């Protein structure tokens, strides 16, 4: 890009910002070190003449007015460039103005706006020249692809799909079709969450799982005593180590367990399944973020249990962990049960002086508190504000609740 074009595009952007503010004063750019260093730093006569020629073309097109200093004998040095017609300047440079780019983006997204109200917020942000997830209106095709994928998953949420296979199916015929879903993960998160900004660092696996997308098939893993009820009057005795069955096969459970403990991470699930007291409870692995298909299977399992059976959840004490807890709590509440936190009390963990504890920044802490409150754990949210900390559950040895009086 030439020095003159950089300066003219800078003037164009300044004019666009003024138009967005409703400022009718013509935008102008003083040709000083602060505003037009590209011009001031020119050293040779040929460079200066080329710069002047490109500016003169824009002037001749009726896009700008040029103020020159004509009494120096150095080739009429430029003093100031002022916009006369912003649309003409944009056309001269071959650049689409923001309102035109947003109109084009709105056209690309129009089929999906009735399904995803957050798209109206995206377009409003772009009209105000604010970037969304780091991007402007040029990202509309990516967002439309994400809408196609989320809409397809919502229509098929009773089944989990393999990430790359589903990507290849949805975007067949395109280059790197099998990796397309991975490329547009931030937009998948925006549409799934309905939030313009992500709550903390994006956890891709959680985003995919929330839509029923997995890198590999995910069975329901359960440990405990009793009998797992499957479709077609089939049944399997549970094992205290663990039993894995397809999600759509689960219909319920017969057990004399005292409580249920769901566990976020696989290593901690296996630890819990071998811990003292595991033979008196059901331990269930959520697979990280529980998918819609997993939640349906879990709900069928819970509906076969007494409504007063205590349900506990043990997960990471971080933004992702409380987000998972909130999603799980919605499923639990729909079955008439209540989800309780296990070993996720910040006050208790802070007193323990455990290795691996760290303090989250203000944005992450705010997200943690919001998700904890959505899970119905207002007390945990209050503790987080008093004792802000994060801890991965794998840093803790497995200990199991003792229903009905677990701390």
């Amino acid at each position: 890009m030439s020095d003159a074009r950089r300066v003219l595009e800078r003037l164009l952007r300044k004019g666009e910002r003024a138009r967005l503010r409703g400022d009718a004063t013509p935008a102008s750019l003083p040709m000083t070190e602060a505003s037009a260093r590209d011009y001031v730093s020119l050293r040779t006569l040929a460079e200066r003449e080329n710069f002047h020629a490109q500016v003169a073309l824009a002037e001749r097109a009726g896009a700008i007015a040029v103020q020159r200093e004509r009494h120096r004998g150095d080739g009429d040095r430029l003093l100031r460039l002022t916009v006369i017609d912003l649309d003409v300047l944009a056309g001269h440079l071959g650049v689409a103005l923001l309102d035109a780019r947003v109109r084009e983006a709105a056209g690309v997204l129009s089929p999906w706006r009735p399904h995803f109200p957050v798209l109206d917020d995206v377009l409003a942000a772009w009209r105000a020249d604010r970037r969304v997830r780091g991007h402007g209106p040029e990202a509309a095709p990516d967002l439309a692809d994400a809408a196609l994928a989320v809409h397809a998953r919502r229509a098929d949420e009773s089944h989990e799909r393999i990430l790359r296979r589903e990507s290849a199916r949805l975007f067949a015929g395109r280059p790197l079709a099998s990796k397309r879903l991975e490329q547009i993960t931030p937009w998948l998160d925006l549409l799934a969450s309905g939030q313009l900004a992500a709550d903390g660092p994006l956890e891709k696996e959680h985003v995919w799982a929330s839509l029923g997308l997995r890198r590999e098939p995910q069975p329901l893993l359960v440990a405990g005593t009793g009998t797992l009820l499957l479709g077609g009057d089939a049944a399997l005795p549970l094992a205290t180590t663990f039993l894995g069955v397809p999600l759509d096969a689960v219909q319920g459970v017969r057990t004399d367990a005292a409580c249920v403990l769901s566990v976020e991470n696989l290593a901690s699930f296996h630890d819990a399944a071998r811990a003292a007291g595991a033979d008196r409870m059901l331990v269930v692995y959520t697979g990280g973020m529980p998918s819609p298909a997993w939640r349906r299977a879990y709900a069928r399992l819970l509906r076969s249990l007494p409504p007063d059976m205590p349900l506990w959840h043990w997960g990471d004490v971080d933004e992702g962990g409380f987000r998972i807890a909130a999603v799980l709590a919605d499923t639990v509440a729909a079955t008439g049960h209540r989800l309780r936190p296990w070993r996720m009390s910040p006050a208790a963990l802070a007193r323990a002086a455990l290795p691996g504890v760290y303090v989250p920044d203000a944005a992450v802490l705010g997200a943690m508190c919001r998700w904890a409150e959505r899970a119905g754990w207002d007390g945990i949210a209050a503790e987080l504000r008093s004792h802000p900390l994060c801890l991965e559950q794998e840093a803790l040895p497995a200990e199991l609740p003792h229903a009905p009086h677990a701390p």
Side-chain angles (χ1 to χ4, degrees):
M1 182 186 295
S2 69
D3 294 313
R5 184 176 179 89
R6 272 193 291 272
V7 170
L8 290 171
E9 287 194 3
R10 195 173 302 140
L11 178 62
L12 179 73
R13 290 193 295 271
K14 189 173 183 180
E16 262 198 305
R17 290 193 294 271
R19 176 181 282 185
L20 288 169
R21 294 193 305 269
D23 186 352
T25 304
S28 68
L29 202 65
M31 304 302 282
T32 61
E33 175 74 20
S35 299
R37 186 175 183 181
D38 315 74
Y39 177 62
V40 175
S41 63
L42 297 175
R43 291 291 175 259
T44 70
L45 178 61
E47 290 173 338
R48 188 175 289 264
E49 287 179 341
N50 182 57
F51 193 105
H52 286 179
Q54 292 185 57
V55 167
L57 288 173
E59 182 182 27
R60 196 171 304 135
I64 63 173
V66 183
Q67 181 183 351
R68 298 177 174 87
E69 185 177 35
R70 298 186 177 278
H71 305 292
R72 288 179 55 90
D74 61 355
D76 294 338
R77 186 168 70 89
L78 305 180
L79 298 179
R80 181 177 292 273
L81 307 182
T82 302
V83 174
I84 293 178
D85 190 316
L86 190 65
D87 296 291
V88 172
L89 178 57
H92 176 75
L93 294 172
V95 174
L97 289 172
L98 179 64
D99 54 358
R101 289 185 284 128
V102 174
R103 280 197 303 273
E104 182 178 353
V108 171
L109 297 174
S110 61
W112 301 111
R113 291 171 71 181
H115 303 284
F116 301 101
V118 71
L119 293 178
D120 292 334
D121 299 329
V122 171
L123 291 169
W126 284 344
R127 288 190 191 98
D129 200 22
R130 299 197 308 272
R131 298 175 79 78
V132 177
R133 302 289 176 113
H135 297 277
E138 69 284 350
D142 290 344
L143 190 47
D145 280 355
L148 169 67
V150 175
H151 189 261
R153 293 306 306 132
R154 286 180 175 175
D156 184 40
E157 64 180 10
S158 60
H159 299 93
E160 288 192 343
R161 301 296 177 191
I162 303 304
L163 177 68
R164 290 198 171 180
R165 184 174 297 161
E166 181 69 358
S167 187
R169 184 187 72 83
L170 289 171
F171 304 107
R174 298 199 201 176
L176 300 176
S178 66
K179 298 180 181 178
R180 183 61 176 150
L181 288 174
E182 293 164 73
Q183 295 168 347
I184 58 176
T185 298
W187 298 121
L188 297 175
D189 180 61
L190 180 146
L191 294 172
S193 67
Q195 298 178 345
L196 293 186
D199 275 328
L202 190 66
E203 297 188 57
K204 293 184 176 183
E205 299 285 349
H206 286 183
V207 175
W208 302 330
S210 72
L211 297 170
L213 296 166
R214 300 281 190 184
R215 287 194 180 275
E216 56 190 21
Q218 177 65 57
L220 182 74
L221 299 184
V222 187
T225 57
T227 303
L228 199 60
L229 307 178
L230 307 178
D233 296 326
L236 283 174
L238 288 170
T240 53
T241 51
F242 72 89
L243 179 69
V245 296
L247 296 174
D248 56 4
V250 176
Q251 299 302 314
V253 65
R254 287 196 298 265
T255 181
D256 57 1
C259 63
V260 178
L261 173 68
S262 54
V263 183
E264 175 184 340
N265 294 299
L266 186 58
S268 296
F269 165 77
H270 286 302
D271 289 346
R274 292 191 297 267
D279 57 342
R280 298 190 300 275
M281 66 180 56
L282 293 180
V283 183
V284 186
Y285 172 50
T286 72
M289 172 62 74
S291 69
W294 189 97
R295 298 197 300 270
R296 286 171 180 263
Y298 189 54
R300 292 193 295 271
L301 187 149
L302 295 185
R303 289 191 179 100
S304 67
L305 296 173
D308 59 347
M309 178 173 284
L311 304 184
W312 303 92
H313 176 67
W314 180 26
D316 292 333
V317 182
D318 60 15
E319 188 272 333
F322 285 109
R323 183 175 182 176
I324 288 170
V327 171
L328 196 59
D330 285 343
T331 299
V332 168
T335 67
H337 292 81
R338 181 172 69 88
L339 189 67
R340 312 179 193 190
W342 175 248
R343 309 201 76 193
M344 297 179 72
S345 163
L349 294 173
R351 290 193 297 269
L354 295 162
V357 171
Y358 63 95
V359 177
D361 63 34
V364 171
L365 176 62
M368 292 169 66
C369 293
R370 288 193 296 274
W371 287 115
E373 288 167 346
R374 263 193 60 175
W377 299 348
D378 291 357
I380 293 288
E383 288 185 20
L384 282 167
R385 294 185 179 99
S386 299
H387 304 279
L389 61 82
C390 290
L391 180 68
E392 294 182 333
Q393 70 174 148
E394 291 94 338
L396 295 171
E399 293 179 11
L400 301 181
H402 302 289
H405 301 298

mmCIF file with all atom_site columns, all heavy atoms in Angstrom, residues 12-30:
data_model
loop_
_atom_site.group_PDB
_atom_site.id
_atom_site.type_symbol
_atom_site.label_atom_id
_atom_site.label_alt_id
_atom_site.label_comp_id
_atom_site.label_asym_id
_atom_site.label_entity_id
_atom_site.label_seq_id
_atom_site.pdbx_PDB_ins_code
_atom_site.Cartn_x
_atom_site.Cartn_y
_atom_site.Cartn_z
_atom_site.occupancy
_atom_site.B_iso_or_equiv
_atom_site.pdbx_formal_charge
_atom_site.auth_seq_id
_atom_site.auth_comp_id
_atom_site.auth_asym_id
_atom_site.auth_atom_id
_atom_site.pdbx_PDB_model_num
ATOM 1   N N   . LEU A 1 12 ? -10.510 8.677  5.365  1.00 0.00 ? 12 LEU A N   1
ATOM 2   C CA  . LEU A 1 12 ? -11.803 8.029  5.153  1.00 0.00 ? 12 LEU A CA  1
ATOM 3   C C   . LEU A 1 12 ? -12.358 7.493  6.469  1.00 0.00 ? 12 LEU A C   1
ATOM 4   O O   . LEU A 1 12 ? -13.549 7.680  6.784  1.00 0.00 ? 12 LEU A O   1
ATOM 5   C CB  . LEU A 1 12 ? -11.644 6.888  4.144  1.00 0.00 ? 12 LEU A CB  1
ATOM 6   C CG  . LEU A 1 12 ? -12.910 6.082  3.833  1.00 0.00 ? 12 LEU A CG  1
ATOM 7   C CD1 . LEU A 1 12 ? -13.865 6.899  2.985  1.00 0.00 ? 12 LEU A CD1 1
ATOM 8   C CD2 . LEU A 1 12 ? -12.557 4.779  3.110  1.00 0.00 ? 12 LEU A CD2 1
ATOM 9   N N   . ARG A 1 13 ? -11.520 6.813  7.254  1.00 0.00 ? 13 ARG A N   1
ATOM 10  C CA  . ARG A 1 13 ? -11.982 6.271  8.535  1.00 0.00 ? 13 ARG A CA  1
ATOM 11  C C   . ARG A 1 13 ? -12.411 7.379  9.483  1.00 0.00 ? 13 ARG A C   1
ATOM 12  O O   . ARG A 1 13 ? -13.397 7.241  10.220 1.00 0.00 ? 13 ARG A O   1
ATOM 13  C CB  . ARG A 1 13 ? -10.892 5.402  9.161  1.00 0.00 ? 13 ARG A CB  1
ATOM 14  C CG  . ARG A 1 13 ? -10.642 4.085  8.426  1.00 0.00 ? 13 ARG A CG  1
ATOM 15  C CD  . ARG A 1 13 ? -9.788  3.146  9.245  1.00 0.00 ? 13 ARG A CD  1
ATOM 16  N NE  . ARG A 1 13 ? -8.440  3.668  9.448  1.00 0.00 ? 13 ARG A NE  1
ATOM 17  C CZ  . ARG A 1 13 ? -7.428  3.452  8.631  1.00 0.00 ? 13 ARG A CZ  1
ATOM 18  N NH1 . ARG A 1 13 ? -7.601  2.726  7.533  1.00 0.00 ? 13 ARG A NH1 1
ATOM 19  N NH2 . ARG A 1 13 ? -6.227  3.944  8.891  1.00 0.00 ? 13 ARG A NH2 1
ATOM 20  N N   . LYS A 1 14 ? -11.682 8.493  9.450  1.00 0.00 ? 14 LYS A N   1
ATOM 21  C CA  . LYS A 1 14 ? -12.050 9.622  10.298 1.00 0.00 ? 14 LYS A CA  1
ATOM 22  C C   . LYS A 1 14 ? -13.408 10.179 9.880  1.00 0.00 ? 14 LYS A C   1
ATOM 23  O O   . LYS A 1 14 ? -14.251 10.509 10.717 1.00 0.00 ? 14 LYS A O   1
ATOM 24  C CB  . LYS A 1 14 ? -10.972 10.700 10.215 1.00 0.00 ? 14 LYS A CB  1
ATOM 25  C CG  . LYS A 1 14 ? -11.128 11.822 11.222 1.00 0.00 ? 14 LYS A CG  1
ATOM 26  C CD  . LYS A 1 14 ? -9.935  12.765 11.186 1.00 0.00 ? 14 LYS A CD  1
ATOM 27  C CE  . LYS A 1 14 ? -10.074 13.849 12.252 1.00 0.00 ? 14 LYS A CE  1
ATOM 28  N NZ  . LYS A 1 14 ? -8.917  14.786 12.242 1.00 0.00 ? 14 LYS A NZ  1
ATOM 29  N N   . GLY A 1 15 ? -13.634 10.256 8.564  1.00 0.00 ? 15 GLY A N   1
ATOM 30  C CA  . GLY A 1 15 ? -14.925 10.715 8.069  1.00 0.00 ? 15 GLY A CA  1
ATOM 31  C C   . GLY A 1 15 ? -16.050 9.759  8.435  1.00 0.00 ? 15 GLY A C   1
ATOM 32  O O   . GLY A 1 15 ? -17.172 10.184 8.762  1.00 0.00 ? 15 GLY A O   1
ATOM 33  N N   . GLU A 1 16 ? -15.778 8.458  8.377  1.00 0.00 ? 16 GLU A N   1
ATOM 34  C CA  . GLU A 1 16 ? -16.789 7.462  8.768  1.00 0.00 ? 16 GLU A CA  1
ATOM 35  C C   . GLU A 1 16 ? -17.169 7.608  10.223 1.00 0.00 ? 16 GLU A C   1
ATOM 36  O O   . GLU A 1 16 ? -18.351 7.545  10.580 1.00 0.00 ? 16 GLU A O   1
ATOM 37  C CB  . GLU A 1 16 ? -16.255 6.057  8.511  1.00 0.00 ? 16 GLU A CB  1
ATOM 38  C CG  . GLU A 1 16 ? -16.705 5.443  7.217  1.00 0.00 ? 16 GLU A CG  1
ATOM 39  C CD  . GLU A 1 16 ? -16.519 3.935  7.222  1.00 0.00 ? 16 GLU A CD  1
ATOM 40  O OE1 . GLU A 1 16 ? -15.396 3.482  7.472  1.00 0.00 ? 16 GLU A OE1 1
ATOM 41  O OE2 . GLU A 1 16 ? -17.505 3.228  6.962  1.00 0.00 ? 16 GLU A OE2 1
ATOM 42  N N   . ARG A 1 17 ? -16.172 7.775  11.081 1.00 0.00 ? 17 ARG A N   1
ATOM 43  C CA  . ARG A 1 17 ? -16.461 7.918  12.513 1.00 0.00 ? 17 ARG A CA  1
ATOM 44  C C   . ARG A 1 17 ? -17.309 9.162  12.765 1.00 0.00 ? 17 ARG A C   1
ATOM 45  O O   . ARG A 1 17 ? -18.220 9.147  13.596 1.00 0.00 ? 17 ARG A O   1
ATOM 46  C CB  . ARG A 1 17 ? -15.162 7.959  13.315 1.00 0.00 ? 17 ARG A CB  1
ATOM 47  C CG  . ARG A 1 17 ? -14.426 6.634  13.358 1.00 0.00 ? 17 ARG A CG  1
ATOM 48  C CD  . ARG A 1 17 ? -13.333 6.644  14.417 1.00 0.00 ? 17 ARG A CD  1
ATOM 49  N NE  . ARG A 1 17 ? -12.265 7.586  14.107 1.00 0.00 ? 17 ARG A NE  1
ATOM 50  C CZ  . ARG A 1 17 ? -11.197 7.290  13.394 1.00 0.00 ? 17 ARG A CZ  1
ATOM 51  N NH1 . ARG A 1 17 ? -11.035 6.066  12.907 1.00 0.00 ? 17 ARG A NH1 1
ATOM 52  N NH2 . ARG A 1 17 ? -10.263 8.200  13.166 1.00 0.00 ? 17 ARG A NH2 1
ATOM 53  N N   . ALA A 1 18 ? -17.010 10.246 12.044 1.00 0.00 ? 18 ALA A N   1
ATOM 54  C CA  . ALA A 1 18 ? -17.800 11.475 12.198 1.00 0.00 ? 18 ALA A CA  1
ATOM 55  C C   . ALA A 1 18 ? -19.238 11.242 11.754 1.00 0.00 ? 18 ALA A C   1
ATOM 56  O O   . ALA A 1 18 ? -20.194 11.698 12.392 1.00 0.00 ? 18 ALA A O   1
ATOM 57  C CB  . ALA A 1 18 ? -17.164 12.602 11.395 1.00 0.00 ? 18 ALA A CB  1
ATOM 58  N N   . ARG A 1 19 ? -19.416 10.521 10.649 1.00 0.00 ? 19 ARG A N   1
ATOM 59  C CA  . ARG A 1 19 ? -20.773 10.230 10.161 1.00 0.00 ? 19 ARG A CA  1
ATOM 60  C C   . ARG A 1 19 ? -21.540 9.409  11.191 1.00 0.00 ? 19 ARG A C   1
ATOM 61  O O   . ARG A 1 19 ? -22.728 9.653  11.438 1.00 0.00 ? 19 ARG A O   1
ATOM 62  C CB  . ARG A 1 19 ? -20.701 9.498  8.823  1.00 0.00 ? 19 ARG A CB  1
ATOM 63  C CG  . ARG A 1 19 ? -22.060 9.075  8.291  1.00 0.00 ? 19 ARG A CG  1
ATOM 64  C CD  . ARG A 1 19 ? -21.943 8.324  6.988  1.00 0.00 ? 19 ARG A CD  1
ATOM 65  N NE  . ARG A 1 19 ? -21.704 9.214  5.861  1.00 0.00 ? 19 ARG A NE  1
ATOM 66  C CZ  . ARG A 1 19 ? -21.649 8.811  4.591  1.00 0.00 ? 19 ARG A CZ  1
ATOM 67  N NH1 . ARG A 1 19 ? -21.790 7.502  4.308  1.00 0.00 ? 19 ARG A NH1 1
ATOM 68  N NH2 . ARG A 1 19 ? -21.437 9.669  3.610  1.00 0.00 ? 19 ARG A NH2 1
ATOM 69  N N   . LEU A 1 20 ? -20.893 8.420  11.804 1.00 0.00 ? 20 LEU A N   1
ATOM 70  C CA  . LEU A 1 20 ? -21.551 7.598  12.805 1.00 0.00 ? 20 LEU A CA  1
ATOM 71  C C   . LEU A 1 20 ? -21.984 8.417  14.020 1.00 0.00 ? 20 LEU A C   1
ATOM 72  O O   . LEU A 1 20 ? -23.004 8.140  14.633 1.00 0.00 ? 20 LEU A O   1
ATOM 73  C CB  . LEU A 1 20 ? -20.628 6.462  13.253 1.00 0.00 ? 20 LEU A CB  1
ATOM 74  C CG  . LEU A 1 20 ? -20.399 5.332  12.250 1.00 0.00 ? 20 LEU A CG  1
ATOM 75  C CD1 . LEU A 1 20 ? -19.274 4.423  12.720 1.00 0.00 ? 20 LEU A CD1 1
ATOM 76  C CD2 . LEU A 1 20 ? -21.684 4.537  12.066 1.00 0.00 ? 20 LEU A CD2 1
ATOM 77  N N   . ARG A 1 21 ? -21.186 9.447  14.361 1.00 0.00 ? 21 ARG A N   1
ATOM 78  C CA  . ARG A 1 21 ? -21.530 10.323 15.490 1.00 0.00 ? 21 ARG A CA  1
ATOM 79  C C   . ARG A 1 21 ? -22.607 11.321 15.128 1.00 0.00 ? 21 ARG A C   1
ATOM 80  O O   . ARG A 1 21 ? -23.137 12.019 15.998 1.00 0.00 ? 21 ARG A O   1
ATOM 81  C CB  . ARG A 1 21 ? -20.295 11.079 15.975 1.00 0.00 ? 21 ARG A CB  1
ATOM 82  C CG  . ARG A 1 21 ? -19.196 10.246 16.586 1.00 0.00 ? 21 ARG A CG  1
ATOM 83  C CD  . ARG A 1 21 ? -18.184 11.138 17.313 1.00 0.00 ? 21 ARG A CD  1
ATOM 84  N NE  . ARG A 1 21 ? -17.645 12.179 16.454 1.00 0.00 ? 21 ARG A NE  1
ATOM 85  C CZ  . ARG A 1 21 ? -16.538 12.057 15.711 1.00 0.00 ? 21 ARG A CZ  1
ATOM 86  N NH1 . ARG A 1 21 ? -15.877 10.904 15.725 1.00 0.00 ? 21 ARG A NH1 1
ATOM 87  N NH2 . ARG A 1 21 ? -16.112 13.058 14.965 1.00 0.00 ? 21 ARG A NH2 1
ATOM 88  N N   . GLY A 1 22 ? -22.920 11.447 13.835 1.00 0.00 ? 22 GLY A N   1
ATOM 89  C CA  . GLY A 1 22 ? -23.861 12.462 13.385 1.00 0.00 ? 22 GLY A CA  1
ATOM 90  C C   . GLY A 1 22 ? -23.230 13.834 13.288 1.00 0.00 ? 22 GLY A C   1
ATOM 91  O O   . GLY A 1 22 ? -23.938 14.853 13.272 1.00 0.00 ? 22 GLY A O   1
ATOM 92  N N   . ASP A 1 23 ? -21.900 13.885 13.205 1.00 0.00 ? 23 ASP A N   1
ATOM 93  C CA  . ASP A 1 23 ? -21.169 15.148 13.111 1.00 0.00 ? 23 ASP A CA  1
ATOM 94  C C   . ASP A 1 23 ? -21.106 15.590 11.655 1.00 0.00 ? 23 ASP A C   1
ATOM 95  O O   . ASP A 1 23 ? -20.523 14.920 10.809 1.00 0.00 ? 23 ASP A O   1
ATOM 96  C CB  . ASP A 1 23 ? -19.754 14.958 13.673 1.00 0.00 ? 23 ASP A CB  1
ATOM 97  C CG  . ASP A 1 23 ? -18.965 16.251 13.753 1.00 0.00 ? 23 ASP A CG  1
ATOM 98  O OD1 . ASP A 1 23 ? -19.451 17.270 13.246 1.00 0.00 ? 23 ASP A OD1 1
ATOM 99  O OD2 . ASP A 1 23 ? -17.854 16.222 14.319 1.00 0.00 ? 23 ASP A OD2 1
ATOM 100 N N   . ALA A 1 24 ? -21.733 16.746 11.352 1.00 0.00 ? 24 ALA A N   1
ATOM 101 C CA  . ALA A 1 24 ? -21.787 17.233 9.968  1.00 0.00 ? 24 ALA A CA  1
ATOM 102 C C   . ALA A 1 24 ? -20.531 18.002 9.567  1.00 0.00 ? 24 ALA A C   1
ATOM 103 O O   . ALA A 1 24 ? -20.366 18.361 8.398  1.00 0.00 ? 24 ALA A O   1
ATOM 104 C CB  . ALA A 1 24 ? -23.012 18.125 9.783  1.00 0.00 ? 24 ALA A CB  1
ATOM 105 N N   . THR A 1 25 ? -19.634 18.260 10.524 1.00 0.00 ? 25 THR A N   1
ATOM 106 C CA  . THR A 1 25 ? -18.396 18.987 10.193 1.00 0.00 ? 25 THR A CA  1
ATOM 107 C C   . THR A 1 25 ? -17.518 18.121 9.304  1.00 0.00 ? 25 THR A C   1
ATOM 108 O O   . THR A 1 25 ? -17.251 16.962 9.641  1.00 0.00 ? 25 THR A O   1
ATOM 109 C CB  . THR A 1 25 ? -17.627 19.329 11.481 1.00 0.00 ? 25 THR A CB  1
ATOM 110 O OG1 . THR A 1 25 ? -18.477 20.060 12.363 1.00 0.00 ? 25 THR A OG1 1
ATOM 111 C CG2 . THR A 1 25 ? -16.386 20.148 11.152 1.00 0.00 ? 25 THR A CG2 1
ATOM 112 N N   . PRO A 1 26 ? -17.073 18.636 8.167  1.00 0.00 ? 26 PRO A N   1
ATOM 113 C CA  . PRO A 1 26 ? -16.242 17.813 7.274  1.00 0.00 ? 26 PRO A CA  1
ATOM 114 C C   . PRO A 1 26 ? -14.976 17.327 7.983  1.00 0.00 ? 26 PRO A C   1
ATOM 115 O O   . PRO A 1 26 ? -14.283 18.102 8.651  1.00 0.00 ? 26 PRO A O   1
ATOM 116 C CB  . PRO A 1 26 ? -15.895 18.768 6.118  1.00 0.00 ? 26 PRO A CB  1
ATOM 117 C CG  . PRO A 1 26 ? -16.967 19.809 6.151  1.00 0.00 ? 26 PRO A CG  1
ATOM 118 C CD  . PRO A 1 26 ? -17.328 19.978 7.594  1.00 0.00 ? 26 PRO A CD  1
ATOM 119 N N   . ALA A 1 27 ? -14.705 16.058 7.871  1.00 0.00 ? 27 ALA A N   1
ATOM 120 C CA  . ALA A 1 27 ? -13.500 15.490 8.478  1.00 0.00 ? 27 ALA A CA  1
ATOM 121 C C   . ALA A 1 27 ? -12.274 15.997 7.736  1.00 0.00 ? 27 ALA A C   1
ATOM 122 O O   . ALA A 1 27 ? -12.278 16.106 6.498  1.00 0.00 ? 27 ALA A O   1
ATOM 123 C CB  . ALA A 1 27 ? -13.558 13.980 8.429  1.00 0.00 ? 27 ALA A CB  1
ATOM 124 N N   . SER A 1 28 ? -11.237 16.276 8.496  1.00 0.00 ? 28 SER A N   1
ATOM 125 C CA  . SER A 1 28 ? -10.004 16.748 7.868  1.00 0.00 ? 28 SER A CA  1
ATOM 126 C C   . SER A 1 28 ? -8.807  16.158 8.582  1.00 0.00 ? 28 SER A C   1
ATOM 127 O O   . SER A 1 28 ? -8.900  15.710 9.730  1.00 0.00 ? 28 SER A O   1
ATOM 128 C CB  . SER A 1 28 ? -9.935  18.276 7.856  1.00 0.00 ? 28 SER A CB  1
ATOM 129 O OG  . SER A 1 28 ? -9.796  18.770 9.180  1.00 0.00 ? 28 SER A OG  1
ATOM 130 N N   . LEU A 1 29 ? -7.668  16.210 7.901  1.00 0.00 ? 29 LEU A N   1
ATOM 131 C CA  . LEU A 1 29 ? -6.448  15.615 8.422  1.00 0.00 ? 29 LEU A CA  1
ATOM 132 C C   . LEU A 1 29 ? -5.296  16.592 8.216  1.00 0.00 ? 29 LEU A C   1
ATOM 133 O O   . LEU A 1 29 ? -4.911  16.878 7.069  1.00 0.00 ? 29 LEU A O   1
ATOM 134 C CB  . LEU A 1 29 ? -6.165  14.307 7.682  1.00 0.00 ? 29 LEU A CB  1
ATOM 135 C CG  . LEU A 1 29 ? -5.268  13.273 8.358  1.00 0.00 ? 29 LEU A CG  1
ATOM 136 C CD1 . LEU A 1 29 ? -5.930  12.730 9.619  1.00 0.00 ? 29 LEU A CD1 1
ATOM 137 C CD2 . LEU A 1 29 ? -5.004  12.128 7.390  1.00 0.00 ? 29 LEU A CD2 1
ATOM 138 N N   . PRO A 1 30 ? -4.733  17.167 9.286  1.00 0.00 ? 30 PRO A N   1
ATOM 139 C CA  . PRO A 1 30 ? -3.556  18.030 9.121  1.00 0.00 ? 30 PRO A CA  1
ATOM 140 C C   . PRO A 1 30 ? -2.347  17.186 8.726  1.00 0.00 ? 30 PRO A C   1
ATOM 141 O O   . PRO A 1 30 ? -2.156  16.082 9.258  1.00 0.00 ? 30 PRO A O   1
ATOM 142 C CB  . PRO A 1 30 ? -3.379  18.654 10.502 1.00 0.00 ? 30 PRO A CB  1
ATOM 143 C CG  . PRO A 1 30 ? -4.013  17.685 11.446 1.00 0.00 ? 30 PRO A CG  1
ATOM 144 C CD  . PRO A 1 30 ? -5.135  17.040 10.697 1.00 0.00 ? 30 PRO A CD  1
#
